[in-house]
Every structure is written in C-alpha cells, then in structure tokens.
Amino acid sequence: MKDYLDLADLGDDRLEAVLSLAKHLEAHPLGEALRGRTVGLLFMNPSVRTLSSMQAAVMQQGGQAFVVTPGSGSWKMETRNGAVMDGEAAEHVREAIPVLAQYADLLGVRCFAEGKDLTTDLADGLIRTMAGLCPKPFMNLESARAHPCQALGDWKTLDDLAIPRRGGRFVLSWAWHPKALPYAVPASALEMAVRRGMDVTILRPDGFSLPDEIMERARAIASRTGASLRETADRAEGMDGAQALYAKSWAAPAFYGRPVEEASFRAPLRDEWCVRESWFEPAEAHAKFLHCLPVRRNVKVADEVLDGPRSAVIRQAGNRMHVQKALLIELLGGHAR
Amino acid sequence: MKDYLDLADLGDDRLEAVLSLAKHLEAHPLGEALRGRTVGLLFMNPSVRTLSSMQAAVMQQGGQAFVVTPGSGSWKMETRNGAVMDGEAAEHVREAIPVLAQYADLLGVRCFAEGKDLTTDLADGLIRTMAGLCPKPFMNLESARAHPCQALGDWKTLDDLAIPRRGGRFVLSWAWHPKALPYAVPASALEMAVRRGMDVTILRPDGFSLPDEIMERARAIASRTGASLRETADRAEGMDGAQALYAKSWAAPAFYGRPVEEASFRAPLRDEWCVRESWFEPAEAHAKFLHCLPVRRNVKVADEVLDGPRSAVIRQAGNRMHVQKALLIELLGGHAR
Amino acid sequence: MKDYLDLADLGDDRLEAVLSLAKHLEAHPLGEALRGRTVGLLFMNPSVRTLSSMQAAVMQQGGQAFVVTPGSGSWKMETRNGAVMDGEAAEHVREAIPVLAQYADLLGVRCFAEGKDLTTDLADGLIRTMAGLCPKPFMNLESARAHPCQALGDWKTLDDLAIPRRGGRFVLSWAWHPKALPYAVPASALEMAVRRGMDVTILRPDGFSLPDEIMERARAIASRTGASLRETADRAEGMDGAQALYAKSWAAPAFYGRPVEEASFRAPLRDEWCVRESWFEPAEAHAKFLHCLPVRRNVKVADEVLDGPRSAVIRQAGNRMHVQKALLIELLGGHAR
C-alpha cells in the first residue's frame, strides 16, 4: 500500500494487522518505528484532532513532522487543472505536492469537498490527483468523499466497546447543523460499519438519503461481508435495539451546490434532529453515542448525551492517534515491535 | 502539583526548587528530562514569547510539542457551558481539552479574558474549567486573571538583577495603551512582588485602581510575607527610591465591558502615562525597567527607556524559557540533573 | 560567517564548500550535525517551500525548529525605527528578534519588501537591522532585495543540470503577474548567474529594466568573474542559444510604490509575457525552464512548459532543502561528515 485514500485500500489482512498494531501501540505509545522519518502535513482546511494526533503519532514513534496551512501563513493553493491563476491562489498543488514530497518521507493531506458539484465531489478526484502527484506514501486526512483515518479509529472504538462486528446494530443518524456539510464522514462511517458486517440503519429525514453512489458502494461491501443495510425516517424504528448511534450532518443531495435553497429545506428540521437522551429509549440499555468531532453542542447533540455515559466521542478521538501510528508504520514500512 | 494555574500553586519550597532548577537550566540548557514526553499547546490568543519559549523549552529537554491555534488553521472554539453552538465556533473546549490530553503528557493553554463581565473574568473560571477537564498536568499560559509563567520569569529576573526580595522597592505602574487590557499580567506581577516580600507601590491614574479582588488577595499575601503595599497617582511619590518599575496597561474597572466609554475615560491620559527616562529621576540610580512584552513603543514606553541600560525586558523574556523548563520538569516529574 | 544575508556573504571558498556539502547531503540526508540545536523561524510573509524545507533541514540533521508567524497566531510586528505604535502592530522587531534569539541557536527570518519606496527597499535595511539585533547566527529567508537561499539552490540546480558556469547561457526573463512584485528573486538570480561567470541576458519589456543599483552590482561581480551581461526586449534575440530560462515578474521601477499606475503600465503585457513552449525555439534543444515558485500557471507560464521536460522547478525546490542544510551547518559550525 503506497497510499491510504480510503478504507478499501486496506485489504482484510492488512486491516486486521493495522488494528492489531494500533491496539499494541495504545498500550505502548512510544517507539522508534519512525526514527529518521519526516512527515509533511498539508491542511487545506481547519483541523484540531487530525493536526495534533498526526504530529503526536509521528513524534511518539521517533519521527518528525512539519505542517503547511495554505491561507494561514502559507500561499493559498489552486487545485483545478488548467486554471488561469490570476485570482487569490498563488500556488498550484501540481507544484506543491511534488515539492513537499521532496522534504518528507510521507505526505498527509486534508482537502475538503468543494461543495459545488455533487458528481465531482463524489469522484474524490482531487485527493487522488494529489496522491498521484506524490512519489512518496500518501495519507488522506479527509477528502471530499472519505475520512479513512476516522473510519479506522471508529472501527477500533467499536471493537474497544465490544460492539460486535457481524450483527452489531449500528445506526448512522443525520443530525441538524447550520451548514450543508459534505459526505466524507458519513460515507466513511457507513463503509466502516458494512465492512464490519454490522446490521446498519441509516436514520435520516426525507430528502436526506445519502447519494446513490455512496449507497451502492456500501451495498456492494455489505453483500460481501454479510452486513445488512436499511434506511428510515422513523426514529423509533431506526433506534430499535441499537448498540451504537453515530450522528453526523450532511447536505441534502438534491440541493447540493445550492446552499441557500438547501438551508431553507433543512431549516424546519432543527429541533427534531438534535440528538437527545430520549432518542435512546428504543435502543439497547448501554447503547453508545459516537461522533467524529468537532460537534456543535445543543445543535447536533444535547449536552446530556455528550456529557453522559453513552458518549464514546473522546475515545474515538483518542483512537485517531493509535490507528494513525499504525498506518504510518504500515505505509513507511517500519517495524514497530 | 498537577496544574500550574497561578503562582500560588507553588508552595514556598517548590517555588524555591523551581527557581533553583531554572537557574541551573539557564547555565545548562540542554537535557533529557522530557525525553519521550509530548506537550500540547493550545493558543486561543496570539503569542510570540510563550509560543516559542514553550516549544524551545520542551525540545531542548528532549521532548516534543504540537501547537493548536483555533481560528488560524484550527476550528474556533466555544468556551461557555450550555452554549447552543449555532455561531462561529465549531468545537467546544469540553471536547477539545480531553481530546488533546490523549495526545499529550501535558497541556498548556492560553485563553485571555473575555472582557465583558469583571466578576466572571476575575473568577478565572475558564482556565480552571479547562484544567479540570484535563486528566494530565496542565499549565496556564495566560488566562483571564493570571499569567503565572510570566510571574515566575519576572521573579527570576529580579533575582538575577539582585533586587532584594524583602524590602526591595517595586513599582507597578499603569501606562497608556490604545485598548482596554485585561488584568492577568498586573495581577500576576503584583502577586509576585508581594510574595517576594517587596515594598510595592501601584502607580496609576485616578480611576485605575486594580479591582478589589486583586488587591485583597495581594494584601493577604503581603501580610504573610511582610510585603508593604500602597497606591498613588503621584509619580514623584510613587517612583521615590524605586529599584524596579514594572509598566503595564489595564482597563478602568468601573467601565469594564464598556470599551467605548472606557476609551473616552482613558484618552486624556495618553501623553502623561507613557514611561519616559524622566520618570526615573526620583528612583535609585540604576533602577530597572520591566515589561512583559509585547510593548507598544512610544505609546506605553519611549524608545529612550527600552533602548537604554535600565531595560530588563529582554532578560525577562529569556527567563520565560528557563522557568518554563523547570515548571515542565516539576509538573512531569522528570529529573533534570 | 555569522549571518547569511546575501550570496555575497559566502566567499568563493565557502561557497564551494557549502555547495559540496549540499551535494553530499542530498545523497545522505540524515545526520546529527544539528543535534541539540534549536532554530527559530520568523515568517512575516507567507511561505510554503521555505517554511517546510527549513524545518525538514533542521530535523533531518537532528535539530529542532519552532515557527512564529506574526498576524497568524502571533502578534503583528512593527519594523520602523521610532514608530509610535498605536496601530495594528503590537510588537516591534527590536524586541522580537533579541527575544527569539534567546530561545534559539540561529534565527531565520522572512521579511518582504514594503513596496513603497524603491531606495529604501533596495537598501535592504530591515533584514540587516534584524541581523544586527540578533546575537546568534542569522539567515535571510527572503528580504526586500535578496533571497539568498533560493540563489544557492538555483546555483546547485544549474550544476546538477550540467549547465556550465563560465559561459553558460542564462536568460532571466520578466513575466507577467497580476501584482507588482519585489526584486528579491530577480536580483538574487542575477547575482547568482554573474557570480557563476555565465553569459547572462535579461529579457524584459521596455520600462522593466531592473533598478540601476541591482544592475551595477551585477556588473561589478561580472567584471570579476568574466560573466557577460546584456538586456533586451526582443525575445528571439534574448533566447538565442539559451541553456536556461529563469522566469520571474517584477515591478516597473519608474512606478515603484504607485501600484495603480504600475498596474496600468503592466496590463497590456499580459498575453505576450506568459512563457510558452514557443519561446524556446531559438534556444538550445534541451534548454531548461527555472522558476523559484510559487508560480501562477497560465499567467506567468503555460502548463505546457511547467508540465514538460524542460521544467526544473521541482528540482530547484528540492535543492532548497539540501543547500539550507549545508548553510545551517556552516553557520552553526557543526560537522556533517
């Protein structure tokens, strides 16, 4: 594996090996597997967890990292092929990626969806173009359609919580948010859950089905792993017997790229689609609440859930570092044990 | 000591031990006391000295640091409990602090006063809340009411300059500044001076007495250490026999949270309250000038003072690194010698 | 050599030694020459290559670096002597430089031209003032009139490409850009080429001769090294037999500091002065294209050139790290082999 762009880049055996290594590294965080290795981190979008957990992961394994944040201390970057660059962006990723690759043994890049054209964003072409421009190993730190480090951390979190892979009951629920958000996290959470072979329910208001391309891909994985996949707008039905509720907001596909109309369509859902403790009544007694963070308190989810015993969000974030250490070692061919 | 939130967190014996270690580390800057340690630095407000001296301190002792700056490459953060987060802030410190604590062995956080409500800011509740959310050691890198790394560096600076603890003559003077500034630095400088047992004068225009809570706390410390504490608006009287003049600006408490009115009240003081060489005529011949930096030249203090032999501001800033190294070692339980 | 402010700071013997060490370090990137060394990097202006290559250079030689970016997480800085600081800038470089120098063994500083007064910018007084305020070794990471790390990396690039020093045919061409850019890069590229003893042509539209001071300095160097130096506005004549075309934009000196008028004067040149493959018809068959990056694609240079076999821009950027490692070792007196 040269590039980690998507959970699918890890075949079943490597996925198990990386999870196993992540578990080992959680117990033994310090090591020398990345001694002498330089990791370059390019953040085209804001970050807290990824920014800090990637640096900590590298440093705790003896390596070193540098960070480039275009627009905040660095030149704004153009991403479109053939662009006539007479606007704000002074640098093109066609130069930036191969240049940075010369200073590092691995690049990690965050580059969110543009939010204009659904087909373009779902094709995830930009992160793939950047990986193609990079002669060194490359990690996707959240792209238009995938957040595969999050997906792997979430997998480990479900394992940690002893929520079964085959047959575990996983609900991916839409939640209200003031902005039309991209599909990277819900697509990756869905892929993770079906790859685990779980019984997956997508709970969302009418008009908020995930795009067909994402659903078809999930169904294809489910058919291989034995996962089940259904959708509903009925909360009681959706939450029935749930072991884990994964909340996330995303844009209504029919209005993609038209934020004003999308906002009008989304507006009436605000109060009903904020996750509250009452949502869990039909669920298993100790059902867990997951979210990738950052989360808008009392908008997407009430304090009572986030501050209560169901919340696994801190553990999820902690697992980001453990799985990223394992991924870095996998990609750089180090030997951690 | 798990947390260093205030100079008072260091009991007399530990204070002496940290100062002694800082002096040793000034002479022997490199070491391995923080080998394998990761320090996370969260800057909610701008920084030059703290940002760089903390990183240098960690690295020169064999550790490593990462930096998170909300609003500049990272998500803006909410700090209020119970907030309905439908505004600019995408992340709450209630998640951010425990998340970052998982990636680090110690967190250092800068979070200035909000400047709206005096009682709230003087209670310094936010930094205490954040420390409480952090299961790891925690350092206050300037909060609403305290800048304890500065206070400790200033203590060492006065020691370096052979200005006596008991009976040394210390003047904390208000100076003009275009903005209504918080009380963190003057409160910490005052606490430091009375803790040393000095003869302390606060020189300030009418209406610029420090808030009662700060003064009462200083008087309580003075009564234990034998310090004296008085206030005056008369410069000749205030500077009489001074060995150290510590300049700082702060808001008029009566107008706290009303910046327009405060600015009108402050405006006429501009020329008179810019520190000049002539201020030192009633002082001791070699009286020193101190300031925490950054300082607005020719607004708060004239070039002639900053560029002259009285100025100890560069030494003060240098001591920041030495005392922070010692504090990090104290908090992380390393062994520096 | 305490400071590296300009290529001229390297005498002939040290220049050869640094280039030789850079070549060695390209083949053997990891080392311990900077073990225990702290490098402080102050970026008053945006950066991608310099920011990341400096950090990578330091870290791969066992040292450590911290970064301060005024205005983006750090206080905005004043640079003018005698300024009355009642505006945006909270800190003066007269404090910042000596303060940061206490935390580091070497400072590197980027500080672009102000773009207001030609004589002031050409005197490069600010970077010299900052170096003078710094008791430690100091590296110019691009100032008003010089980008000497770029110049040294470009020298190595021409060596790598086997383009002869004495008699090699070097064209420095103006190219269109939406803004009036400073002279640091063209002045340093010109100094580099004449120092190598090349046959140098400056290709530029009428009104875009480089300022006299830059030309006189280049002629003085040329007279010592045997370089030739001519100017032309005729592309066919300028490109005749060229082995390397170095493209860069710069402001029309007659309009310096008057950007609106300069923009009107520059506007009609847009289409003609975008480097295209056709420019190379009169050149040597395998003539190379150089640019310091970042470059605005299809504005300064067409995709066909940047993506074709002539382009040496990625190699140029890669060499930045190698020469900076060698410079750091030269300045810090380490031993790399």
Side-chain angles (χ1 to χ4, degrees):
Chain A
M1 181 172 67
K2 178 194 159 284
D3 302 329
Y4 183 61
L5 302 182
D6 200 349
L7 194 58
D9 291 327
L10 282 174
D12 288 343
D13 59 331
R14 297 322 302 161
L15 177 57
E16 295 299 341
V18 169
L19 285 166
S20 169
L21 178 56
K23 191 171 177 182
H24 171 80
L25 292 166
E26 182 176 9
H28 305 88
L30 298 179
E32 298 288 320
L34 302 179
R35 176 66 57 197
R37 302 297 195 141
T38 306
V39 171
L41 301 172
L42 177 62
F43 282 90
M44 319 279 276
N45 308 94
S47 175
V48 166
R49 270 152 296 285
T50 307
L51 175 70
S52 48
S53 64
M54 281 297 293
Q55 289 182 80
V58 170
M59 298 186 303
Q60 291 176 11
Q61 287 295 313
Q64 33 230 351
F66 62 81
V67 177
V68 175
T69 50
S72 180
S74 292
W75 305 110
K76 285 194 185 170
M77 287 190 192
E78 176 62 66
T79 57
R80 295 166 297 166
N81 280 335
V84 176
M85 292 173 58
D86 53 6
E88 281 292 293
E91 175 133 34
H92 200 290
V93 294
R94 292 185 68 84
E95 274 73 53
I97 295 294
V99 163
L100 294 175
Q102 295 179 101
Y103 308 148
D105 298 295
L106 178 149
L107 292 188
V109 178
R110 164 164 287 197
C111 192
F112 288 176
E114 205 182 8
K116 292 184 180 163
D117 180 70
L118 182 59
T119 306
T120 301
D121 282 342
L122 289 179
D124 223 7
L126 179 53
I127 199 83
R128 292 178 184 277
T129 296
M130 290 197 278
L133 289 165
C134 181
K136 306 280 179 71
F138 186 99
M139 275 175 78
N140 177 356
L141 304 180
E142 190 173 342
S143 66
R145 219 239 3 239
H147 195 353
C149 293
Q150 185 67 47
L152 199 62
D154 294 340
W155 185 309
K156 180 174 182 308
T157 302
L158 293 172
D159 282 356
D160 293 349
L161 298 170
I163 293 174
R165 294 182 178 188
R166 178 67 72 108
R169 303 196 70 171
F170 183 91
V171 178
L172 172 64
S173 178
W174 190 85
W176 197 86
H177 188 284
K179 293 180 188 167
L181 295 187
Y183 300 111
V185 168
S188 288
L190 178 59
E191 179 170 346
M192 179 273 300
V194 293
R195 178 90 180 263
R196 283 171 58 95
M198 300 182 85
D199 287 346
V200 177
T201 301
I202 301 176
L203 174 61
R204 81 290 172 281
D206 290 335
F208 284 86
S209 289
L210 287 167
D212 291 345
E213 189 275 355
I214 291 171
M215 292 302 292
E216 280 163 28
R217 184 177 164 128
R219 276 191 285 266
I221 297 168
S223 73
R224 178 169 70 79
T225 63
S228 70
L229 178 54
R230 61 175 185 152
E231 286 187 84
T232 179
D234 182 312
R235 188 182 309 145
E237 181 192 331
M239 290 295 293
D240 186 41
Q243 294 173 293
L245 170 63
Y246 197 113
K248 190 72 190 73
S249 195
W250 58 82
F255 298 94
Y256 202 81
R258 290 178 289 154
V260 175
E261 292 165 73
E262 208 272 355
S264 301
F265 184 71
R266 189 168 12 93
L269 303 167
R270 174 165 178 160
D271 289 335
E272 196 186 344
W273 289 87
C274 174
V275 180
R276 298 179 200 284
E277 183 57 28
S278 59
W279 285 38
F280 290 90
E281 280 165 24
E284 273 206 354
H286 301 293
K288 295 294 181 183
F289 173 80
L290 288 89
H291 189 284
C292 62
L293 302 183
V295 66
R296 288 171 174 263
R297 282 175 167 257
N298 302 311
V299 172
K300 261 170 122 174
V301 53
D303 283 349
E304 65 195 21
V305 177
L306 275 170
D307 296 331
R310 298 191 186 285
S311 177
V313 300
I314 305 301
R315 179 183 288 268
Q316 281 178 277
N319 276 327
R320 292 290 306 280
M321 183 173 72
H322 309 315
V323 301
Q324 287 161 197
K325 276 182 189 167
L327 283 166
L328 286 162
I329 293 168
E330 176 81 7
L331 283 160
L332 284 167
H335 304 280
R337 305 201 193 193
Chain B
M1 180 173 68
K2 178 193 160 284
D3 301 329
Y4 183 61
L5 301 182
D6 201 348
L7 193 59
D9 291 326
L10 282 174
D12 288 343
D13 61 329
R14 298 321 302 160
L15 176 57
E16 295 299 340
V18 168
L19 285 166
S20 168
L21 179 55
K23 191 171 178 182
H24 171 81
L25 292 165
E26 182 176 8
H28 306 89
L30 298 179
E32 299 288 319
L34 303 178
R35 177 64 59 196
R37 302 297 196 140
T38 306
V39 171
L41 301 172
L42 176 62
F43 282 90
M44 319 279 275
N45 307 95
S47 175
V48 167
R49 268 151 298 283
T50 307
L51 174 70
S52 48
S53 64
M54 281 297 292
Q55 291 183 79
V58 172
M59 298 186 303
Q60 291 177 12
Q61 286 295 313
Q64 34 229 353
F66 62 81
V67 177
V68 175
T69 50
S72 181
S74 292
W75 304 110
K76 285 193 185 171
M77 287 190 192
E78 177 61 67
T79 56
R80 294 165 298 166
N81 281 335
V84 176
M85 292 172 58
D86 53 6
E88 282 291 293
E91 174 132 36
H92 201 289
V93 294
R94 292 185 69 85
E95 274 73 54
I97 294 293
V99 164
L100 294 175
Q102 296 180 101
Y103 308 148
D105 297 294
L106 178 149
L107 292 188
V109 178
R110 164 165 287 197
C111 192
F112 287 176
E114 205 180 10
K116 292 183 179 163
D117 179 71
L118 182 59
T119 306
T120 301
D121 283 341
L122 289 179
D124 223 8
L126 179 52
I127 198 84
R128 292 177 185 280
T129 297
M130 289 197 278
L133 289 165
C134 180
K136 307 279 180 72
F138 186 99
M139 274 175 78
N140 177 356
L141 304 180
E142 190 174 342
S143 66
R145 219 239 6 237
H147 194 352
C149 293
Q150 184 68 47
L152 199 62
D154 293 341
W155 186 309
K156 181 175 181 305
T157 302
L158 293 172
D159 282 356
D160 293 349
L161 297 170
I163 294 173
R165 295 183 177 187
R166 178 68 72 107
R169 304 197 70 169
F170 183 91
V171 178
L172 172 64
S173 178
W174 190 85
W176 196 85
H177 188 283
K179 294 180 188 166
L181 295 189
Y183 301 110
V185 168
S188 288
L190 177 59
E191 179 170 346
M192 177 274 299
V194 293
R195 180 89 180 266
R196 282 170 59 94
M198 301 182 85
D199 288 347
V200 177
T201 301
I202 302 176
L203 174 61
R204 81 294 173 277
D206 290 335
F208 285 87
S209 288
L210 287 167
D212 291 345
E213 189 275 354
I214 292 173
M215 291 303 291
E216 281 163 28
R217 184 178 164 129
R219 277 191 285 265
I221 297 169
S223 72
R224 179 170 70 79
T225 62
S228 70
L229 177 55
R230 61 175 185 151
E231 284 186 85
T232 180
D234 181 314
R235 188 182 307 146
E237 180 193 332
M239 290 295 292
D240 186 41
Q243 294 174 293
L245 169 64
Y246 197 113
K248 190 73 190 76
S249 196
W250 58 82
F255 298 95
Y256 203 81
R258 290 178 287 154
V260 175
E261 291 165 74
E262 207 273 354
S264 300
F265 183 71
R266 192 170 9 96
L269 303 168
R270 174 165 178 161
D271 289 335
E272 195 187 346
W273 290 87
C274 174
V275 180
R276 297 179 201 283
E277 183 58 27
S278 59
W279 284 38
F280 290 89
E281 280 165 24
E284 272 206 354
H286 301 293
K288 295 296 182 182
F289 173 80
L290 287 88
H291 190 284
C292 62
L293 303 183
V295 65
R296 289 172 174 263
R297 283 177 167 254
N298 302 312
V299 171
K300 260 170 123 174
V301 52
D303 283 348
E304 64 195 21
V305 177
L306 276 170
D307 297 330
R310 298 191 187 286
S311 177
V313 300
I314 305 301
R315 178 183 289 269
Q316 281 178 276
N319 275 327
R320 292 288 307 278
M321 183 173 73
H322 309 315
V323 301
Q324 287 160 196
K325 276 182 190 168
L327 283 166
L328 286 162
I329 293 167
E330 176 80 9
L331 284 160
L332 285 167
H335 303 280
R337 304 197 195 195
Chain C
M1 182 172 68
K2 177 193 161 283
D3 301 329
Y4 183 61
L5 301 182
D6 200 348
L7 194 59
D9 291 327
L10 282 174
D12 288 343
D13 60 329
R14 298 321 302 160
L15 176 57
E16 295 300 340
V18 169
L19 285 166
S20 169
L21 179 55
K23 192 171 177 182
H24 172 80
L25 291 165
E26 182 176 9
H28 305 90
L30 298 179
E32 299 288 318
L34 303 178
R35 177 67 57 197
R37 301 298 194 141
T38 305
V39 171
L41 301 172
L42 176 62
F43 282 89
M44 319 279 276
N45 307 95
S47 175
V48 167
R49 268 152 297 284
T50 307
L51 174 70
S52 49
S53 64
M54 281 298 293
Q55 290 183 82
V58 171
M59 299 186 304
Q60 291 175 13
Q61 286 296 313
Q64 33 229 354
F66 61 80
V67 177
V68 175
T69 50
S72 181
S74 292
W75 305 108
K76 286 193 186 172
M77 288 191 191
E78 176 62 67
T79 57
R80 295 165 297 166
N81 280 335
V84 176
M85 292 173 58
D86 53 6
E88 282 291 294
E91 175 133 36
H92 200 290
V93 294
R94 291 185 69 86
E95 275 73 54
I97 295 293
V99 164
L100 294 175
Q102 294 179 103
Y103 308 147
D105 298 293
L106 178 149
L107 292 187
V109 178
R110 163 165 288 198
C111 192
F112 288 175
E114 205 182 7
K116 292 184 179 163
D117 180 71
L118 181 59
T119 306
T120 301
D121 283 341
L122 290 180
D124 223 8
L126 179 53
I127 199 83
R128 290 177 187 281
T129 296
M130 290 196 278
L133 290 164
C134 181
K136 307 279 180 72
F138 186 98
M139 274 175 78
N140 177 355
L141 304 180
E142 190 173 343
S143 65
R145 219 236 10 234
H147 195 351
C149 293
Q150 185 68 45
L152 200 62
D154 294 341
W155 185 308
K156 181 175 181 306
T157 302
L158 293 172
D159 282 357
D160 293 349
L161 298 171
I163 293 173
R165 296 183 177 187
R166 177 68 71 106
R169 304 197 70 170
F170 182 90
V171 178
L172 173 63
S173 179
W174 190 84
W176 197 86
H177 187 283
K179 294 180 189 166
L181 295 188
Y183 301 110
V185 169
S188 288
L190 177 59
E191 179 170 345
M192 177 273 299
V194 294
R195 179 91 181 263
R196 284 170 58 95
M198 302 182 84
D199 288 346
V200 177
T201 300
I202 302 177
L203 174 62
R204 81 291 171 279
D206 290 335
F208 284 86
S209 288
L210 286 167
D212 291 345
E213 189 274 355
I214 291 173
M215 291 302 292
E216 279 163 28
R217 185 179 164 129
R219 277 190 284 265
I221 298 169
S223 72
R224 178 170 70 79
T225 62
S228 70
L229 177 54
R230 61 175 185 151
E231 286 188 83
T232 180
D234 181 313
R235 187 182 308 145
E237 180 192 331
M239 290 294 293
D240 186 41
Q243 294 173 293
L245 170 64
Y246 198 113
K248 190 72 190 73
S249 196
W250 58 81
F255 298 94
Y256 202 81
R258 290 179 288 153
V260 175
E261 291 165 73
E262 207 274 353
S264 300
F265 184 70
R266 193 171 7 96
L269 302 167
R270 175 165 178 161
D271 289 333
E272 196 186 345
W273 290 86
C274 175
V275 180
R276 298 178 199 283
E277 183 58 26
S278 59
W279 284 39
F280 290 88
E281 280 164 25
E284 271 205 357
H286 301 293
K288 294 296 181 181
F289 174 81
L290 287 89
H291 189 284
C292 61
L293 303 182
V295 66
R296 288 171 175 263
R297 283 176 168 255
N298 303 312
V299 171
K300 260 170 122 175
V301 53
D303 283 349
E304 63 194 21
V305 177
L306 275 169
D307 296 331
R310 298 190 186 286
S311 177
V313 300
I314 305 301
R315 178 184 290 269
Q316 280 178 276
N319 275 327
R320 293 289 306 279
M321 182 173 73
H322 309 314
V323 301
Q324 287 160 195
K325 277 182 189 167
L327 284 166
L328 286 162
I329 293 168
E330 176 80 8
L331 284 160
L332 285 167
H335 303 280
R337 304 200 192 191

